Amino acid sequence: MSARDDIAAGRTSLGIELGSTRIKACLVGSDPAEVLATGTFSWENRLEDGLWTYALDDVWTGLRAAYAGLVDDVERRHGLRPETFGAIGISAMMHGYLALDADGGLLVPFRTWRNTNTGPAAAELRAALGVNIPLRWSIAHLHQAVIDAEPHLPRLDFVTTLAGYVHHALTGERVLGVGDASGMFPIDAATADYDAGMLRSYTELAGDRLPAPLTALLPAVRAAGAAAGTLTDEGAALLDPTGALRPGIPLCPPEGDAGTGMVATNAVAPRTGNVSAGTSIFAMVVLERPLAEQHDELDIVTTPAGDAVAMVHCNNGASELAAWAGLFGRFAAAAGQPLDEDAVFDVLFREALAGEVDAGGLLAYNHLAGEPIAGLAAGRPLFVRTPDSDFHLANFVRAQVYGVFGTLALGMQVLTAEGVELDRMLAHGGMFRTAGVAQRFLAGALAAPVAVGDLASEGGAWGIAVLASYLAAAEEFTLGDYLDQRVFASASVAVVDPDPADVAGFSSYLDRYRAGLAVEAAAVASL
């Protein structure tokens, strides 16, 4: 069948992901490996009253714009405008806190994963539940509200993530994919549902400070391939105010960006992993066995199918690097040689290849927000050099790229000490678009081969479109087999092995980086 036939007959799957800087829509047809159209909308978080948030008006403005852009792209490429799809999937940034009342109204501004005000709650939860509960998890945000006796709690009826909120608005269903749910509250791998023993422990901890049992406040958990509702009349109008989109389309369980990143890189099987680099950066490693000890640097989440994953999550990713690229882009324009954003990155990244393997003694900290792995409650981006550092552009850019991977490498060393082994680590995100640069440096940072696939460039929006397409195949395939046999069977993957010189150079950089965290902490305390 042609792409046009698929679109006309509704043999397509639409994925929409609300990322930290872009809302992106992606359409696939009967061959889920082929992207038929895309649409995007750029947005940014904002710091309001000391908390990172996004306005919900921007959520719907962005969703409509991304969807409209996709429809326009379908018409431009294929000569018709779609009115229905075979399935839809919604994905978004994991964690955070969206608190709704019984009418679906927002009780407090959306609190994103980036907030680090939940330290007291996370400490109480670790003691009560016996597992690591990171600051960004939804239960940490909820319990911090309990500790603070926030006035909205008596009216609280539903707690969810951003993906769960959008899915609920489109379908009326209070459900969440198991991968996204695993960043709300711990999941029991045997049941692929919230851990029953820990729910009881939390009930004792919260006492009468919540208006209902936690199970009544959280969304129901669904694994990949399970039914999760259909698009309502109201949901269709929210997504497409023109009225062209027809209701009744099935939706897959809404997932988090970590889960869609695993799908987009075919990293859902044990001994596989992926690194996703955006506003945050995180690594996901699918485990063969439980870890021997609890580690504050790691949290245990799941794949969209429910398998246990060790996650190294860093609040700060490529935003500071992008800010420097913007500065150099402005310099080029002021000099009468304007370059678009991709061209600026390409020039800078290729210059970095000429840098010294340890970045010449330079250090870059990308901490715009707090970074729990590094022990930082807040962030202050810093570029540091000593008088005898070799300060030139190639070393400067290499230091900035290394800085993106610095905190991630600290967390990954914990997994190495646990004896966790990987057959492959796949990377995706915009900074890997320049071939052979960030990928090579990451291989040096992890001392492991790093692969970049030709499909991962569309990222999580494509990943959730694939999960939507899996709805029709779940009775025939496991998710891993579906990806291997139907999605990635003919995909090309470029693998870069670690260069021993890069490994040694990054190790030297990381030693300085670890020692220099005292400087970063002093900046947080002083500025």
Side-chain angles (χ1 to χ4, degrees), residues 132-271:
N132 180 36
I133 301 294
L135 304 185
R136 66 187 181 279
W137 276 31
S138 303
I139 188 61
H141 286 275
L142 173 61
H143 191 58
Q144 190 64 50
V146 168
I147 291 173
D148 296 338
E150 293 197 28
H152 74 274
L153 287 178
R155 293 180 290 144
L156 182 63
D157 187 66
F158 183 37
V159 177
T160 190
T161 65
L162 183 55
Y165 165 78
V166 173
H167 184 93
H168 176 251
L170 297 180
T171 66
E173 299 288 337
R174 296 185 174 192
V175 301
L176 206 58
V178 62
D180 205 4
S182 69
M184 294 193 77
F185 192 87
I187 294 290
D188 182 347
T191 63
D193 204 346
Y194 301 119
D195 187 289
M198 293 185 195
L199 284 171
R200 289 192 294 270
S201 296
Y202 184 72
T203 297
E204 294 177 8
L205 178 64
D208 61 358
R209 293 180 289 176
L210 282 177
L214 184 60
T215 51
L217 299 175
L218 295 177
V221 180
R222 299 284 185 270
T230 58
L231 186 67
T232 63
D233 291 334
E234 296 80 6
L238 278 172
L239 196 56
D240 179 20
T242 71
L245 179 61
R246 299 200 296 264
I249 302 167
L251 273 78
C252 70
E255 263 300 346
D257 52 353
T260 58
M262 284 186 275
V263 171
T265 52
N266 194 17
V268 300
R271 297 177 64 93

Side-chain angles (χ1 to χ4, degrees), residues 64-385:
R64 292 177 189 125
Y67 178 79
L70 178 133
V71 170
D72 289 344
D73 195 32
V74 170
E75 184 174 35
R76 188 163 46 249
R77 293 197 203 186
H78 307 289
L80 73 168
R81 297 179 73 82
E83 297 179 354
T84 190
F85 308 98
I88 298 174
I90 300 297
S91 174
M93 299 167 280
M94 289 178 68
H95 318 296
Y97 183 67
L98 274 154
L100 307 176
D101 63 21
D103 296 322
L106 190 67
L107 292 172
V108 293
F110 170 34
R111 297 168 184 176
T112 79
W113 55 269
R114 200 171 195 178
N115 291 296
T116 55
N117 64 308
T118 56
E124 282 195 11
L125 289 165
R126 289 188 194 109
L129 304 184
V131 296
N132 180 36
I133 301 294
L135 304 185
R136 66 187 181 279
W137 276 31
S138 303
I139 188 61
H141 286 275
L142 173 61
H143 191 58
Q144 190 64 50
V146 168
I147 291 173
D148 296 338
E150 293 197 28
H152 74 274
L153 287 178
R155 293 180 290 144
L156 182 63
D157 187 66
F158 183 37
V159 177
T160 190
T161 65
L162 183 55
Y165 165 78
V166 173
H167 184 93
H168 176 251
L170 297 180
T171 66
E173 299 288 337
R174 296 185 174 192
V175 301
L176 206 58
V178 62
D180 205 4
S182 69
M184 294 193 77
F185 192 87
I187 294 290
D188 182 347
T191 63
D193 204 346
Y194 301 119
D195 187 289
M198 293 185 195
L199 284 171
R200 289 192 294 270
S201 296
Y202 184 72
T203 297
E204 294 177 8
L205 178 64
D208 61 358
R209 293 180 289 176
L210 282 177
L214 184 60
T215 51
L217 299 175
L218 295 177
V221 180
R222 299 284 185 270
T230 58
L231 186 67
T232 63
D233 291 334
E234 296 80 6
L238 278 172
L239 196 56
D240 179 20
T242 71
L245 179 61
R246 299 200 296 264
I249 302 167
L251 273 78
C252 70
E255 263 300 346
D257 52 353
T260 58
M262 284 186 275
V263 171
T265 52
N266 194 17
V268 300
R271 297 177 64 93
T272 65
N274 79 293
V275 170
S276 176
T279 300
S280 64
I281 185 170
F282 53 84
M284 311 287 289
V285 178
V286 187
L287 298 174
E288 294 181 280
R289 54 172 176 77
L291 298 179
E293 299 179 22
Q294 173 186 322
H295 301 279
D296 289 346
E297 298 90 345
L298 308 174
D299 44 304
I300 304 302
V301 291
T302 77
T303 70
D307 296 311
V309 174
M311 183 178 193
V312 180
H313 185 282
C314 309
N315 284 350
N316 301 279
S319 294
E320 179 67 1
L321 177 64
W324 280 105
L327 189 75
F328 285 110
R330 175 57 196 147
F331 174 81
Q337 301 291 329
L339 297 172
D340 64 28
E341 182 180 16
D342 284 348
V344 171
F345 273 105
D346 189 73
V347 170
L348 292 175
F349 276 28
R350 297 196 184 286
E351 179 70 10
L353 292 173
E356 296 168 61
V357 291
D358 68 346
L362 308 181
L363 274 177
Y365 293 98
N366 64 337
H367 301 139
L368 285 157
E371 194 61 83
I373 291 176
L376 299 169
R380 300 291 185 272
L382 289 179
F383 170 68
V384 182
R385 65 187 179 102

Side-chain angles (χ1 to χ4, degrees), residues 506-522:
F506 186 86
S507 178
S508 176
Y509 178 92
L510 193 63
D511 287 342
R512 294 197 316 275
Y513 183 93
R514 186 183 286 107
L517 286 171
V519 179
E520 176 76 3

